[in-house]
DNA sequence: CGAGATCTTGAAGCACATCAAATACCGTGG
DNA sequence: CCACGGTATTTGATGTGCTTCAAGATCTCG
C-alpha cells in the first residue's frame, strides 16, 4: 500500500481491495495533470465519451438544463471523484459535466480504461462500486429534495460535503474550502437563490456554521446532523468486502 | 438469440450484447418463481444482501423513510428489473426495497451471481450497464422533483412508466396496467397525496390521460411529453456499443 | 478604479401542504 | 349476494414555505 495523498487512490481504496499494481496504475494515470478554468464543460449532454476525467483539485458538478433554462445540479464532484464512469459504458451522455472552480484534472483514454477493465479485476470491481456509491448519494439527494424542507436540506448538504472532503483529507479540524456560489448550492437543492441565501443566514445566526471568505466551518456538527436527520450509511464510508 | 417474453432477458439485452449462453443463464435463473404478496419488504435498510431479486410480474419500489415517517420512493421497479445490484457489491443496504403489488419474483443466490461475475464478462458488463441505467433514471428524477412543478412532474413520471412498460412488452396500444395508489405516486414525486389527486384530475379533465380501474391510457402522448419537456435520452433505450 | 458577478434585503403572490370530513371502492366472510 | 370494514379517493377550507421580482450593497478581479 502506497503512502499517498492522491485523492483518486484514496477514493478507490474505499471502493474495495486493491493490490499494489492497481495502485501503481492509478498513480501512473494521474501523473499527467491539466489545470482547467472554472465554468468549463468537461462533457455535454448527447456527447459520446472518449475518455474519463478525474478531478484532483477543485470542484465540479453534473447538471441538466431544462428547455426554459432551469438548471438542476445532480451531483457535486470532489477531488478523487471519477467523473464519467456513469456514462462511459453507455452510448451517450445523458447529462453535462462542468467545473465550478479552477481545477486540476487528469484524463484517462478510453482504451486505457478498457484495458484495465479486462485485465484488472480488482480495479474493475472498485470502479463499479464507485459508481454504485455515486448512486447511493443520488438516492439520498432525492430524499433530501423530495421530503426535507429548505433548512433541513441545507444542513444535510453541508454535512455531506464536509464528510466527503474529510474522506480525501481536505479538511482541517471542522473547516474546509467551499468555493460554491449560493446559486450553485440552490440549483443542487431545488431552491431559489434568494431562499438559499436566507437559509444560510439563519444557519450562521444560529451558530451552526461559520464562513470566512471561501472557507466554511462547521461549528455545531451535532446540531447540523440532527436537523438534517443525517444517517451516514448512504456514504458507504467503510469499504465493501473485497 | 432466444425468442422470449422473459422481461429479465429483454431488460438485459438493452444493456449490451449477450451470447446464447448468457441468455440461457438468465433463463435458467428465472425459472424458479415465487409469488409474493404486496407490501412485503424484500430487503430493509441496513441489511446485508445475500441474494438478488428480479421482478417478473408486478411492481416494486426502493424507498427511504425519515425518522418522523416521511417517505420518499427513489425508484419504481418494473418487470425485468434486477432489484439489488446497487448494493450487492456494497456492504449493506442504504435503502429498503418493497413490493407494491402482488408480484412474481425470482431470486439468484449471491454465489451464483459471483460466479457469473467472474466467468461471464459480457453479462458482467450488462449488469454494470443495468445499474448505470438506473442511475440515469435517478438523475432525471432529481431534475423532476428539483426543478419541475407538480403538473410537469406527473406528466413526466407517467410517460416514463409507459415507456418502461413498453420496453418489456407490457403495453397494448397506449394502455398499460398501473396498480399504484396515489399515495405511492405522491411519495415518488415529493408531493402530498391531496395535490397528487388534484393534478391527476386535471390531466384527466384535459384529456391527456384516461383511467379505468387499474389501467391507464395515454390519450395525448405528445401533450404529455411536451408538458414534461420530456427528453428520452436518459432512458438509454438503445443499447450501448457492446 | 470600474464592471460584472455575487450577495443581500424587502414586498407581494402563489403553488403547494395540511387538516378534516365525506364518499367511493374492494376484498372478505357470513 | 349483500353486509361490512378497511383502504383509497375526493372535496373544501385554510395556511405557509417558498418563489419571484426588483433594487441596492458588496465583493472580485482584470
Amino acid at each position: 500500500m502506497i503512502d499517498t495523498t492522491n485523492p483518486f487512490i484514496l477514493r478507490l481504496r474505499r471502493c474495495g481491495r486493491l493490490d499494489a499494481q492497481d495502485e501503481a496504475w492509478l498513480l501512473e494515470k494521474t501523473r499527467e495533470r491539466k489545470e482547467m478554468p472554472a465554468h468549463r464543460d468537461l462533457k455535454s449532454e448527447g456527447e459520446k465519451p472518449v475518455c474519463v476525467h478525474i478531478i484532483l483539485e477543485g470542484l465540479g458538478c453534473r447538471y441538466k438544463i431544462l428547455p426554459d433554462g432551469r438548471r438542476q445540479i445532480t451531483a457535486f464532484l470532489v477531488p478523487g471523484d471519477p467523473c464519467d464512469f456513469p456514462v462511459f459504458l453507455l452510448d451517450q451522455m445523458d447529462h453535462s459535466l462542468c467545473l465550478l472552480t479552477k481545477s486540476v484534472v487528469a484524463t484517462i483514454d478510453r482504451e486505457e480504461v478498457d484495458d484495465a477493465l479486462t485485465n484488472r479485476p480488482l480495479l474493475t470491481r472498485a470502479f463499479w462500486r464507485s459508481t454504485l456509491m455515486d448512486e447511493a448519494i443520488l438516492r439520498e439527494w432525492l430524499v433530501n429534495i423530495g421530503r426535507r424542507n429548505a433548512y433541513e436540506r441545507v444542513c444535510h448538504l453541508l454535512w455531506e460535503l464536509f464528510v466527503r472532503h474529510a474522506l480525501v483529507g481536505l479538511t482541517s479540524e471542522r473547516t474546509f474550502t467551499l468555493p460554491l456560489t449560493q446559486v450553485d448550492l440552490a440549483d443542487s437543492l431545488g431552491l431559489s437563490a434568494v431562499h438559499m441565501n436566507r437559509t444560510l443566514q439563519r444557519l450562521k445566526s444560529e451558530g451552526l456554521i461559520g464562513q470566512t471568505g471561501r472557507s466554511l466551518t462547521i461549528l455545531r456538527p451535532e446540531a447540523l446532523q440532527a436537523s438534517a436527520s443525517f444517517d451516514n450509511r448512504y456514504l458507504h464510508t467503510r469499504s465493501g468486502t473485497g
Side-chain angles (χ1 to χ4, degrees), chain A:
Chain A
M1 192 132 106
I2 311 168
D3 180 32
T4 183
T5 61
N6 182 309
F8 191 35
I9 296 184
L10 292 177
R11 158 75 193 240
L12 265 296
R13 269 186 195 156
R14 287 198 298 116
C15 302
R17 195 164 52 81
L18 302 176
D19 62 29
Q21 289 189 325
D22 293 324
E23 298 204 350
W25 191 91
L26 295 173
L27 204 57
E28 155 73 19
K29 295 308 173 196
T30 52
R31 186 145 299 161
E32 200 169 305
R33 294 139 183 257
K34 231 185 330 198
E35 180 143 324
M36 299 185 79
H39 310 301
R40 156 87 62 97
D41 263 21
L42 291 178
K43 283 209 174 74
S44 303
E45 216 176 317
E47 221 174 279
K48 293 184 197 310
V50 295
C51 66
V52 172
H53 295 87
I54 294 102
I55 295 188
L56 297 170
E57 291 171 36
L59 215 49
C61 74
R62 303 180 195 290
Y63 70 96
K64 290 198 183 198
I65 303 235
L66 295 181
D68 66 355
R70 283 175 284 181
R71 176 177 74 151
Q72 177 67 42
I73 290 178
T74 63
F76 286 124
L77 301 162
V78 305
D81 284 345
C83 304
D84 344 51
F85 277 114
V87 285
F88 182 67
L89 293 180
L90 298 172
D91 45 344
Q92 59 171 350
M93 291 292 288
D94 56 57
H95 62 280
S96 301
L97 211 59
C98 89
L99 296 174
L100 294 169
T101 68
K102 198 171 70 164
S103 303
V104 176
V105 174
T107 63
I108 310 179
D109 291 339
R110 176 156 205 142
E111 305 82 56
E112 299 183 291
V113 177
D114 272 329
D115 180 57
L117 255 33
T118 49
N119 299 321
R120 313 216 65 82
L122 285 180
L123 202 51
T124 303
R125 210 159 237 246
F127 284 150
W128 190 355
R129 273 220 188 85
S130 173
T131 65
L132 290 175
M133 282 167 48
D134 290 343
E135 198 180 318
I137 293 177
L138 218 35
R139 273 191 293 271
E140 186 64 30
W141 278 35
L142 202 71
V143 176
N144 210 25
I145 296 191
R147 288 296 178 224
R148 278 193 266 251
N149 63 33
Y151 183 80
E152 298 169 318
R153 278 183 224 181
V154 176
C155 289
H156 194 280
L157 177 63
L158 293 182
W159 184 249
E160 176 189 305
L161 287 174
F162 175 79
V163 172
R164 288 173 64 192
H165 278 83
L167 286 169
V168 282
L170 292 174
T171 53
S172 66
E173 290 297 319
R174 286 274 132 78
T175 299
F176 68 112
T177 306
L178 193 67
L180 297 171
T181 68
Q182 294 184 359
V183 172
D184 293 332
L185 291 168
D187 281 352
S188 77
L189 292 174
L191 296 172
S192 69
V194 171
H195 202 64
M196 184 71 217
N197 179 281
R198 293 188 168 123
T199 309
L200 279 175
Q201 280 181 51
R202 187 177 153 201
L203 284 174
K204 286 176 205 162
S205 76
E206 292 175 345
L208 298 210
I209 62 170
Q211 226 178 352
T212 54
R214 287 288 172 224
S215 91
L216 188 96
T217 303
I218 312 288
L219 298 172
R220 297 175 50 201
E222 353 63 44
L224 207 65
Q225 291 172 64
S227 298
S229 55
F230 197 94
D231 176 350
N232 67 345
R233 200 148 34 194
Y234 79 99
L235 287 174
H236 294 280
T237 44
R238 293 182 48 77
S239 75
T241 43

